[in-house]
Amino acid sequence: MLDRLMGAFMVERGLMTKNQLDQVIKVQESNRAKLGVVAVSEKLMTIAQAEQVNALQASMDMRFGDIAVEKGYLTDTQVERLLKLQGNSYMAFVQAVVDLGILPMEKIPEIEKEYETYVGATAIDMVELKTGNIDRIVPLFLHTGNVTYKGIFSMAIKALYRLVDTHVYIGKTYTVDTVREEVIGYQHFHGDVSGVLAISGKYENIKKMAIAYTKEEFIETREDALDAICELINCINGLYATEESKKEVKLELNPPDFSVAFQGIDYEGIVVMPVYISGGEIKLTVRIV
């Protein structure tokens, strides 16, 4: 997720254009990050050390990691960890940014620090962001410490990642008393915890999401698209209810429903999370009562 979050952040900051970001994503999909880029990003080596090892590779029949260990820059354990990270999507993103000449490697740690401050993260949080740990990522974007909201939003984003789009990313939540969108799918739940989870947005964005979820090439009607979204919402709430049952928290789910001509909902304290998925933006909303 951090690759898309950082990409959006860089575009917002004017560090790259939207067209350049599209190029980066295209290159990223086919690249593995070089071990030196990963080592510098993880702050295990300096840029000068990585460049020295890269230069030595031109005259030595040795792998980057072996040379770095021989020079005393890395340990065998660190090399093993870096090799696991090498296929990481964020590392491939950084590699593409550098290879396309959009930003130099020495600029990346500075931008990461700016982003860390922007989302209110810690250095440990940034490590989790790089590994893609959704349970650690979602709370960084919640403006409430309520554990129920944390649990539902985390479960929802994990489900969207697994079932819809592995490149899903999120924005900071906010609270409103009114939601006005074009279409909506929703489901009420009750028991030890009562509330509603909804997915709403422009129909075209909901349709893209429904196609990605169902793997069907054509969804022709709003009813078909929203029926798929309701199935997804039911899956999310079902997973959450199952997880909560392990803590002896009982939840019952009402049948999901939708509106193809949505006028809006008016409730006090609706928590909204912008979600960027399948090439569009939708609103993931939760209200606990």
Side-chain angles (χ1 to χ4, degrees):
M1 187 184 293
L2 185 58
D3 54 340
R4 296 304 197 264
L5 289 168
M6 285 293 290
F9 180 74
M10 289 178 182
V11 170
E12 182 183 320
R13 287 290 191 272
L15 298 169
M16 70 168 74
T17 65
K18 180 62 170 64
N19 286 339
Q20 286 175 319
L21 177 58
D22 291 340
Q23 284 182 290
V24 167
I25 290 172
K26 184 176 180 180
V27 171
Q28 173 197 2
E29 295 299 324
S30 60
N31 274 3
R32 277 171 62 89
K34 295 176 182 176
L35 205 64
V37 170
V38 182
V40 171
S41 179
E42 289 296 294
K43 298 181 175 61
L44 294 177
M45 292 178 67
T46 65
I47 293 172
Q49 289 171 340
E51 289 177 345
Q52 181 189 26
V53 174
N54 284 331
L56 288 172
Q57 279 190 291
S59 59
M60 300 172 66
D61 185 21
M62 294 176 65
R63 296 176 300 179
F64 182 99
D66 293 333
I67 297 174
V69 170
E70 186 177 275
K71 298 290 293 182
Y73 297 148
L74 297 172
T75 66
D76 288 327
T77 300
Q78 288 172 327
V79 170
E80 183 178 348
R81 174 170 167 261
L82 292 174
L83 287 170
K84 290 179 181 178
L85 289 172
Q86 196 173 26
N88 178 280
S89 61
Y90 177 67
M91 299 304 171
F93 169 82
V94 170
Q95 184 71 62
V97 169
V98 173
D99 286 350
L100 290 170
I102 296 171
L103 291 169
M105 185 62 216
E106 54 265 28
K107 185 74 174 175
I108 301 299
E110 178 185 327
I111 298 168
E112 289 179 348
K113 192 64 180 177
E114 289 179 15
Y115 183 76
E116 181 181 319
T117 301
Y118 172 72
V119 297
T122 65
I124 294 174
D125 291 329
M126 288 299 290
V127 171
E128 296 293 346
L129 279 166
K130 289 178 183 179
T131 62
N133 186 330
I134 291 174
D135 284 324
R136 291 294 299 273
I137 292 171
V138 167
L140 297 176
F141 292 83
L142 288 178
H143 68 291
T144 171
N146 184 296
V147 294
T148 302
Y149 283 106
K150 175 183 174 182
I152 294 175
F153 277 114
S154 293
M155 184 62 72
I157 298 305
K158 282 189 285 189
L160 295 179
Y161 176 88
R162 293 166 183 162
L163 302 175
V164 183
D165 182 4
T166 57
H167 295 305
V168 60
Y169 67 100
I170 59 180
K172 291 185 177 181
T173 62
Y174 53 92
T175 299
V176 296
D177 296 332
T178 300
V179 174
R180 294 282 185 271
E181 295 289 348
E182 190 174 351
V183 294
I184 186 172
Y186 58 92
Q187 183 176 45
H188 290 270
F189 51 87
H190 55 92
D192 292 335
V193 177
S194 296
V196 60
L197 183 147
I199 292 175
S200 62
K202 293 181 179 179
Y203 169 64
E204 284 303 314
N205 292 335
I206 293 292
K207 179 180 177 181
K208 291 175 186 176
M209 186 176 169
I211 290 172
Y213 173 58
T214 61
K215 308 298 187 291
E216 294 180 9
E217 188 174 351
F218 299 105
I219 289 183
E220 297 183 355
T221 69
R222 292 189 173 206
E223 287 80 2
D224 288 342
L226 286 161
D227 188 58
I229 295 304
C230 282
E231 180 184 326
L232 177 59
I233 291 171
N234 190 59
C235 177
I236 292 169
N237 282 332
L239 290 168
Y240 178 70
T242 299
E243 193 64 27
E244 289 300 287
S245 69
K246 298 175 184 177
K247 308 171 194 174
E248 298 187 353
V249 176
K250 296 179 180 179
L251 294 176
E252 292 185 23
L253 310 180
N254 290 357
D257 202 354
F258 62 80
S259 173
V260 297
F262 182 43
Q263 297 301 312
I265 50 176
D266 298 288
Y267 287 118
E268 184 178 350
I270 305 166
V271 179
V272 181
M273 174 178 281
V275 178
Y276 305 91
I277 186 167
S278 303
E281 178 185 353
I282 58 98
K283 298 292 192 303
L284 180 64
T285 62
V286 177
R287 181 177 183 264
I288 305 300
V289 294

